[in-house]
Amino acid sequence: MADLAGKKILAVVSNRGVEQDELKVPVDRLRGAGAQVTVAAPESGDVQTLVSDWDLGEKLPVDATLTDVGEADFDLLLVPGGTLNADNLRLDPDAQRLAKAFASSGRPIASICHGPWLLVETGLVRGKTLTSYTSVKTDVENAGGTWKDVEVFRCPAEGFTLITSRNPGDLDAFVGAIEDELSS
């Protein structure tokens, strides 16, 4: 297990619709490795997760709102998936602001499943190679990115590192790549 003591991760989600394991597994594992993980959403309170985009999952606490969180203190941006979550985030001006701030400052972004929709919306996939849930492939390509069907992909192009994975089945590789990025 990586030692991530002192590392700070910002996870951006909507208050409903994030895929449970795509938030819970990385947050738990990264906290277990010593990282401080802040979950930020549009509203304070809880995040109602979903399982397979349909069944109600666990409610998880929100640590900060997207409006109030300052991105400068964080080492990595985590963007979990879930169709409803990602579709809401891509239209949220605060989520867009945070993604652009991480990329423009050269800090890494890690996104899984439908999460790259936020990066499509903000123009951050242009010139990047990434993976995602299969249904996001056309959006990635139309936005100027190159899509690959692999469990995890790390792309350092365009001035920031982007780590992406396809779905909850890739979580071990996804979290491992985040740990490697923050340990280097």
Side-chain angles (χ1 to χ4, degrees):
M1 178 184 291
D3 180 6
L4 301 182
K7 299 296 182 178
K8 295 181 179 180
I9 298 165
L10 177 61
V12 294
V13 296
S14 62
N15 288 90
R16 182 178 172 89
V18 66
E19 184 66 30
Q20 175 180 285
D21 286 350
E22 292 174 9
L23 176 60
K24 186 173 172 48
V25 170
V27 167
D28 288 350
R29 279 194 40 197
L30 295 167
R31 284 178 177 161
Q36 177 184 335
V37 182
T38 299
V39 177
E43 299 173 11
S44 59
D46 291 321
V47 173
Q48 175 62 66
T49 67
L50 296 178
V51 176
S52 300
D53 276 336
W54 188 260
D55 296 318
L56 290 178
E58 296 177 39
K59 284 188 176 182
L60 303 173
V62 171
D63 302 311
T65 64
L66 293 174
T67 302
D68 293 337
V69 73
E71 53 76 28
D73 295 332
F74 295 93
D75 301 300
L76 180 136
L77 180 66
L78 173 63
V79 186
T83 308
L84 292 174
N85 174 64
D87 198 41
N88 285 321
L89 278 183
R90 74 188 298 183
L91 300 177
D92 186 292
D94 290 309
Q96 292 174 7
R97 170 185 56 82
L98 291 165
K100 288 176 183 177
F102 271 83
S104 68
S105 65
R107 287 173 291 158
I109 299 174
S111 187
I112 187 168
C113 199
H114 289 83
W117 267 343
L118 174 60
L119 309 176
V120 166
E121 195 69 30
T122 54
L124 296 175
V125 300
R126 180 170 306 285
K128 300 293 265 184
T129 300
L130 63 147
T131 192
S132 66
Y133 193 74
T134 307
S135 66
V136 181
K137 174 184 177 181
T138 301
D139 296 324
V140 166
E141 292 174 341
N142 287 341
T146 301
W147 189 86
K148 295 180 73 99
D149 185 13
V150 294
E151 73 176 350
V152 67
F153 196 83
R154 180 189 180 275
C155 179
E158 303 299 320
F160 74 99
T161 296
L162 177 60
I163 299 165
T164 52
S165 283
R166 301 170 298 192
N167 57 54
D170 298 335
L171 279 166
D172 281 342
F174 181 65
V175 177
I178 293 170
E179 290 172 335
D180 289 347
E181 186 69 26
L182 292 174
S183 296
S184 61

